Amino acid sequence: MPRTRNDRRPGRLGRTRWTDTMTTRAAGARTTDDARANDDADAIDDARTIDDPPLVEDARFDDGHGDWEGVRLHVVSGKGGTGKTTVAAALALALASGGRRTLLVEVEDRQGIAQLFDCPHLPYEDRKIATAPGGGEVYALAIDPEEALLEYLDMFYHLGRAGKGLKKLGAIDFATTIAPGLRDVLLTGKACESARRRVQGRFAYDAVVMDAPPTGRIARFLNVNTEVAGLARFGPIHTQAEAVMGVIRSPQTAVHLVTLLEEMPVQETVDGVAELRASGLPTGGVVINMARPPLQAEDESDTGRRLTPELLEAGLVAGGIKPTRPLVTALLSEADEHASRIELESTGRALVRGLDVPVYELPLLAEGMDLGGLYRLAEALREQGMA
């Protein structure tokens, strides 16, 4: 099993400002907000920085990403507790196989990625955290909205040290708290910049995987243009929001949902797909996580409802076990619970498969989640065509 780091010291990539490639200030002394907005839009993707990561050949991206060839930004969401961070990490590993390079982005400040890969706390810069099969590389980035806003203020308003002073006074935290739409623009903007980042005409990453907020607020989180409508109708903030939406609503983005075969997660997934479609956001696939294999492989339709005390007692006797009443009662109860679970999972699976999207299943790992398990899940995603 490949190891994720050497000598417990993850590699590092230089910090690159999202405004450097998404929207930049054009040359010339313009004073009006409209002029600034036009300059910003014209300068998208023109800027270059010396801290960009090593180049990635476009041809490697064209080698194929399974069902999602052409998608550069994979947004992974799901109801809390479904394992969306684990699935996002496994997808990043799967997409990096065969010598490709991916970036795994965290936007909720939970450091869940660092915990999964057993690596130090992730800073606000791209860092290598894993090596994928075939020599691929996985980098990770924990986006800090305050740091992103400081970059934004420095880029468009040249605040420099004054911006850092505002942070010390708590003004930056205040701004990102009272204006959640602005916060979402900063978080999604950095992820979109990473997906589009080019150096000398070549992509820096083959794909970017975002560990996004839960299903209940994913549509609002991604629909940042609506969020900032009340903040700015023109100028750099509006221009940045338009640029971000241009990426998110494009065929280069796919929003995948993670679910369990349980009633509430399945229903939230069904509702989430409907909301994504209603919002005009690109719906990806659904990953059924922690799926348990059937105990009766010969006939999955037989859930155990036909098991009677007589049949159970006969089976125990055939196995050399004395069929006492307490034992028979306990085993019948377990069989009934198993039957209920199989029926519930069958109903949930049918609902998910009725959504008309690609569906993938990841097994429940009895030994728990560790690095080895993460690589096994990545392999399962590759085998099913998700990467």
Side-chain angles (χ1 to χ4, degrees), residues 10 26 28 54 109 118 141 154 160 192 195 217 264 312 323 335 341 345 365 368:
D109 194 28
D118 190 25
L141 168 67
D154 183 40
C192 290
R217 73 182 194 92
M264 290 187 64
L312 181 56
R341 178 176 67 83
E345 291 180 352
L365 301 180

Side-chain angles (χ1 to χ4, degrees), residues 5-225:
R5 58 198 184 284
N6 296 319
D7 300 327
R8 300 186 63 81
R9 297 183 63 185
R12 299 179 61 174
L13 289 181
R15 176 168 162 180
T16 303
R17 298 187 297 184
W18 60 270
T19 46
D20 286 352
T21 50
M22 285 295 292
T23 52
T24 62
R25 190 180 183 87
R30 310 279 179 88
T31 57
T32 67
D33 287 337
D34 288 337
R36 291 194 194 99
N38 291 333
D39 288 344
D40 297 335
D42 293 339
I44 289 176
D45 290 335
D46 287 345
R48 300 288 181 266
T49 70
I50 61 174
D51 288 332
D52 280 312
L55 303 182
V56 171
E57 296 287 349
D58 290 356
R60 285 162 57 190
F61 179 75
D62 293 335
D63 285 344
H65 278 299
D67 296 339
W68 306 103
E69 185 173 354
V71 173
R72 302 198 56 79
L73 177 60
H74 297 262
V75 180
V76 179
S77 180
K79 179 177 172 58
T82 59
K84 68 179 180 66
T85 300
T86 299
V87 172
L91 179 58
L93 275 171
L95 291 169
S97 63
R100 294 188 289 263
R101 181 182 294 114
T102 60
L103 178 68
L104 180 57
V105 175
E106 182 175 79
V107 299
E108 294 185 283
D109 194 28
R110 296 186 295 107
Q111 289 295 318
I113 295 173
Q115 295 175 29
L116 269 176
F117 287 92
D118 190 25
C119 64
H121 188 282
L122 292 176
Y124 182 52
E125 63 182 29
D126 300 6
R127 279 196 173 182
K128 182 180 176 181
I129 59 171
T131 299
E137 298 175 319
V138 178
Y139 287 78
L141 168 67
I143 302 178
D144 183 337
E146 292 186 25
E147 292 293 335
L149 181 56
L150 283 174
E151 287 182 355
Y152 184 91
L153 294 175
D154 183 40
M155 171 60 64
F156 291 106
Y157 300 104
H158 306 291
L159 291 185
R161 293 183 178 179
K164 295 181 179 179
L166 290 174
K167 182 177 182 180
K168 291 181 179 179
L169 293 174
I172 299 299
D173 178 64
F174 179 73
T176 56
T177 299
I178 66 170
L182 174 60
R183 182 186 181 92
D184 291 349
V185 168
L186 297 168
L187 293 173
T188 54
K190 182 65 176 180
C192 290
E193 176 274 322
S194 299
R196 296 177 57 174
R197 188 187 310 164
R198 289 175 178 264
V199 184
Q200 299 176 4
R202 300 174 182 176
F203 285 114
Y205 291 105
D206 291 300
V208 173
V209 180
M210 180 198 295
D211 179 18
T215 311
R217 73 182 194 92
I218 186 62
R220 181 178 180 183
F221 172 76
L222 293 176
N223 200 16
V224 291
N225 191 44

Side-chain angles (χ1 to χ4, degrees), residues 278-300:
S279 300
L281 296 168
T283 306
V286 173
V287 179
I288 298 174
N289 195 24
M290 294 185 272
R292 288 175 286 193
L295 297 181
Q296 302 176 25
E298 296 82 3
D299 183 8
E300 294 186 23

